[in-house]
Amino acid sequence: MQDVNDTPDAVEPDEASADAPHETPGHGSDAGHTTREDASTGFENSMISSHVLDQSEIDSLLGNTFAGLPDREETGMERVIKAGFVAYERLPMLEIVLDRLVRLLSSTLRSFTNDNVEITMESTRSMCFGDYMNTVPSSSLFAVFKAVQWENYGLVVVDSALSYSIIDILMGGPRGVGHAGTEGRPHTAIERSLIEKLITLTLNDLSAAFNPVCTIDLTFERLEVSSRFAAIARASNAVVMTKLHIDMEDKSGNLDLIIPYATLEPVRDRLSQQFMGERFGRDSIWENHLISEILETDVEVSAVFEEKLVSLSEVLNLRPGAQIAFPYRKDADIHVTLQCGQTSLFVGRLGQLHGKAAVKIERRLVPPDSPHTHTTPPPASGE
C-alpha cells in the first residue's frame, strides 16, 4: 500500500506559496501595484527633466514652512562690541599721517632705486587681523616692526612682485622690461638684506610722518616668510590696513602697512583731532574770561585768631556767660589767619586802623605759581 505523502501529485505548502508570485501578469495584486509604481516613477522623472522648481514653487509645496521667520536681533553684548569697535574714519589725523608717508616714501625710493617711483594709496580700512592674514598671498614677505614709545608692534607686508622688482633694479636688471623671474623661489641672503633695507627706509619715513602728532621710533625687528610667525595680534583684534601701490616705470608691486588699534591706543586722542593742533576741552580765550569773571566774584573771608580742640561734652555744657580760655601772653602780638572756606590764604597780625579792627598781612600762604592766582594785565596805551 503506497503512502499518501509519497504521491508525486502532492504539493507542499511552501512550494505552493513559492509558486504564487509566478502567476500570470494582470491577475495578481502585486503585479498591478508594481505597474502603478513604475508609471508614477516615470511620470516624476519626466516632470523633473522637463521643469525645474523655482523658490516660489518650493515654498508652495512645503506650505511656506520657512516663511515669516522673525529676524534675528542683536544681543546686548554684540551691540557693546560693535560700539567699542573704532572705525578708521574716527581717526582723521591718521589719514594725514599716511598722506605724509606717501610723499616722503616717494622721494626716498627715488633716491634708493635711482628710478622714477610713483606711490599710490589704494585703500585704507579697518578689519580684523585674522581676516587679512587669511587673504594675503603666501609668497609675501612679512616684516615685523616695534613702536618703541608705544611698546607694541606693527607689520609691513611686501608682495613678491614688489620684492623681486626691487631686487632686479638694485642688482642691475634690464630696464624697459618687467620682471621675468620665478616668483615662487625663496629669497637668498643678499636679496633679504636688500628687502630689509627697503623696510628700514619705509619705517624711517613712517616715523617722520608721525612727527607732527607725536614722537615715535619705529625699529625693524625681523623678516618672516610665513604668516604664522608674523602674528602680532589676535585674529579677532582690529587693525588699520593701508595698501600702497608702487610703480617703478615697467615694474610695480604692493606694500601693505598693518597697524593694530592697540598700537595706536597711546595716541588715539591726538589721532582723533579734526585738524593739526586741536585741543580738546580747553580754550585759552574762554579760560581767561572765566578767570577774570571768577576774580570779580564776592567771597567771604574769615579771620581766625586761635583754634582749640574741645570735647563734645564740654560744648554741650556751655551756658550763657561761660568762658573758653586760650593761651595768651600780655603785650604779645595776636596772630590771625585769613581763610576763605577751608583754604588758608594769609597770616597777619591783629591791630587797629581808623578806630576799626584790622589785620596786617605778613605772610602769604598761596604760592605765587598757584593756578588760583591771577595777574591783572596792564592797561593798554591811550586809556
Side-chain angles (χ1 to χ4, degrees):
M1 182 175 181
Q2 187 177 4
D3 191 7
V4 178
N5 295 332
D6 297 334
T7 305
D9 296 335
V11 179
E12 296 290 338
D14 295 339
E15 294 179 1
S17 61
D19 294 339
H22 297 283
E23 294 177 359
T24 305
H27 296 282
S29 59
D30 293 340
H33 180 68
T34 305
T35 305
R36 287 195 298 270
E37 286 185 352
D38 294 341
S40 176
T41 304
F43 176 74
E44 292 178 356
N45 292 335
S46 62
M47 287 294 295
I48 294 175
S49 60
S50 61
H51 179 67
V52 178
L53 300 179
D54 57 10
Q55 187 62 40
S56 61
E57 293 175 341
I58 294 175
D59 294 339
S60 178
L61 290 175
L62 296 177
N64 296 325
T65 303
F66 301 100
L69 292 177
D71 296 336
R72 178 182 176 274
E73 297 182 358
E74 295 181 351
T75 62
M77 183 57 65
E78 291 176 345
R79 295 180 181 179
V80 170
I81 293 174
K82 290 184 178 181
F85 185 79
V86 182
Y88 155 71
E89 289 76 9
R90 299 184 187 179
L91 304 175
M93 288 303 302
L94 183 59
E95 185 175 358
I96 298 179
V97 171
L98 296 176
D99 184 68
R100 285 173 53 86
L101 172 64
V102 170
R103 292 186 282 108
L104 293 174
L105 189 59
S106 298
S107 177
T108 301
L109 292 185
R110 289 190 188 102
S111 302
F112 181 59
T113 60
N114 291 327
D115 204 341
N116 186 20
V117 178
E118 295 293 336
I119 301 179
T120 305
M121 185 167 58
E122 291 189 347
S123 63
T124 300
R125 60 194 182 97
S126 302
M127 61 187 309
C128 292
F129 181 71
D131 294 341
Y132 172 79
M133 298 301 285
N134 292 333
T135 57
V136 66
S138 58
S139 59
S140 303
L141 293 177
F142 305 88
V144 179
F145 66 89
K146 181 178 181 181
V148 179
Q149 287 81 356
W150 300 339
E151 299 181 353
N152 218 318
Y153 295 90
L155 194 64
V156 176
V157 181
V158 181
D159 68 348
S160 59
L162 179 61
S163 61
Y164 286 107
S165 297
I166 291 292
I167 293 171
D168 283 347
I169 293 176
L170 298 180
M171 299 296 289
R175 300 296 179 104
V177 294
H179 172 68
T182 304
E183 298 183 357
R185 65 174 179 83
H187 293 80
T188 64
I190 297 178
E191 293 173 345
R192 288 170 61 92
S193 64
L194 295 178
I195 299 301
E196 291 179 5
K197 180 63 176 177
L198 171 66
I199 300 300
T200 303
L201 295 177
T202 303
L203 295 178
N204 293 338
D205 290 342
L206 183 58
S207 301
F210 270 104
N211 281 339
V213 179
C214 64
T215 301
I216 183 62
D217 297 326
L218 304 177
T219 59
F220 174 76
E221 285 283 322
R222 65 186 185 274
L223 187 65
E224 301 289 350
V225 296
S226 175
S227 59
R228 294 186 303 165
F229 304 108
I232 58 173
R234 296 180 181 271
S236 59
N237 289 5
V239 298
V240 178
M241 191 277 293
T242 302
K243 183 178 291 294
L244 303 179
H245 183 73
I246 302 177
D247 289 317
M248 298 167 289
E249 290 187 356
D250 56 315
K251 300 177 177 63
S252 63
N254 294 326
L255 185 145
D256 297 343
L257 178 63
I258 310 300
I259 304 179
Y261 277 103
T263 303
L264 299 175
E265 187 64 26
V267 290
R268 178 177 173 181
D269 293 339
R270 299 184 182 181
L271 294 177
S272 300
Q273 299 176 2
Q274 297 294 331
F275 54 88
M276 196 76 66
E278 181 183 6
R279 292 176 295 182
F280 293 97
R282 182 176 180 182
D283 188 351
S284 59
I285 299 177
W286 170 251
E287 183 179 348
N288 294 332
H289 175 70
L290 183 61
I291 291 177
S292 62
E293 292 298 325
I294 290 177
L295 294 178
E296 296 295 332
T297 305
D298 296 332
V299 295
E300 181 179 351
V301 178
S302 302
V304 181
F305 292 87
E306 189 69 36
E307 293 182 350
K308 185 178 182 180
L309 184 64
V310 296
S311 62
L312 181 59
S313 60
E314 295 181 18
V315 176
L316 295 176
N317 292 329
L318 290 177
R319 297 294 182 270
Q323 295 181 356
I324 300 177
F326 289 92
Y328 173 70
R329 292 183 302 175
K330 188 178 181 180
D331 298 333
D333 295 334
I334 300 177
H335 294 282
V336 180
T337 302
L338 298 179
Q339 294 182 350
C340 181
Q342 298 296 326
T343 304
S344 300
L345 302 178
F346 307 98
V347 173
R349 184 161 42 93
L350 182 62
Q352 190 174 6
L353 181 64
H354 303 302
K356 297 181 179 180
V359 177
K360 183 179 181 181
I361 297 176
E362 295 180 340
R363 186 161 55 93
R364 180 179 188 150
L365 300 180
V366 181
D369 57 349
S370 174
H372 301 287
T373 60
H374 181 74
T375 303
T376 304
S381 60
E383 294 184 358

